Amino acid sequence: LPRREDYFYQAEIDHGGGRFYATPLQLSANITVARDVLPIFETTEDDSQIRLREVHFFVQAINEGALTMVEYYIFDNLGDRAYIGTPGPDGKRRTLRISRPPQALNLRFDGLGLGQRFFEDEDVIYDTDVVIPAAGAMQIAMLYEVPYRDGFDFERPVFYPTESWDVLTPE
C-alpha cells in the first residue's frame, strides 16, 4: 500500500446485516506490517438496550437574528449485540434516532453529514452506523442555526431512556 502522511487505511467488514470498522491506521515509511483489531459482534434489530447517557444542548453563538446551537449526544448500548436498526422504505438501515430541531437552518454534523451517514425522514434524523455494545458506543454532534429575537423555546421528543440532559446558555 502507498505510504504518505495524508493517507489513512481502515479495514471494514459486513457481518450480520451491519458494517464494522477498525480504527483508521496511518502507515509510515518505517512500518512494514500493521496489526489492528476489527471488532465484530452478533447483531440485533432490537433497540431496547440503547440508552442516551448524556445530552449537552448549548448555544455556541448569538448573532443578529440567529442562534448557533450545538447538541451533543452520547449513546450506550447495554446489550451484548451490535444494534443494526431496521431498513426503511428506501432500504437504508435506520439505527439511532434524533428529533429534528424545529426551525433549524443549515443543519450539519461533526464528520459525515446528511445524505452520507445521516438522513432525515419528516421530523426525525436517522443515523446509519452500527452501534456496538459498549458504554459511550456512539457520539453525535449536531449543529444548526435558529431564528432568534428576544427568546427561544424548544420542545423535543426523545426516543430512548435518558440519564442526563443539560442546557448551557451564555449570560
Side-chain angles (χ1 to χ4, degrees):
L1 296 171
R3 297 178 193 162
R4 289 184 22 185
E5 249 180 58
D6 58 338
Y7 278 19
F8 287 84
Y9 295 95
Q10 184 174 34
E12 65 182 64
I13 189 168
D14 289 326
H15 171 73
R19 177 164 282 177
F20 296 87
Y21 300 93
T23 305
L25 272 198
Q26 185 177 28
L27 301 177
S28 63
N30 59 353
I31 295 179
T32 57
V33 175
R35 297 186 198 285
D36 198 7
V37 174
L38 175 57
I40 301 170
F41 299 89
E42 291 305 315
T43 60
T44 182
E45 293 182 350
D46 177 12
D47 71 352
S48 65
Q49 298 300 308
I50 303 297
R51 301 287 185 273
L52 249 173
R53 183 187 333 156
E54 298 175 36
V55 179
H56 304 283
F57 182 94
F58 58 95
V59 178
Q60 184 178 45
I62 300 174
N63 301 309
E64 178 106 12
L67 299 175
T68 301
M69 309 298 294
V70 177
E71 296 182 19
Y72 185 71
Y73 297 84
I74 301 174
F75 290 90
D76 295 338
N77 179 350
L78 305 177
D80 62 353
R81 294 175 174 262
Y83 174 57
I84 60 170
T86 56
D90 55 4
K92 292 181 185 176
R93 288 223 168 250
R94 298 171 179 221
T95 58
L96 300 175
R97 296 174 288 164
I98 300 173
S99 59
R100 187 185 195 293
Q103 303 174 333
L105 306 170
N106 193 23
L107 186 63
R108 58 206 182 276
F109 294 85
D110 184 27
L112 297 176
L114 287 172
Q116 296 168 315
R117 175 180 164 187
F118 299 94
F119 67 96
E120 292 180 82
D121 188 359
E122 296 183 16
D123 59 350
V124 177
I125 296 166
Y126 291 93
D127 192 351
T128 58
D129 276 0
V130 167
V131 185
I132 64 168
M138 188 72 71
Q139 297 86 38
I140 297 173
M142 180 170 63
L143 298 85
Y144 56 92
E145 284 78 43
V146 292
Y148 174 75
R149 290 287 178 239
D150 296 322
F152 179 66
D153 293 326
F154 71 93
E155 184 176 315
R156 300 275 296 285
V158 178
F159 302 106
Y160 307 99
T162 304
E163 187 176 322
S164 171
W165 185 304
D166 57 33
V167 179
L168 306 167
T169 61
E171 290 184 31

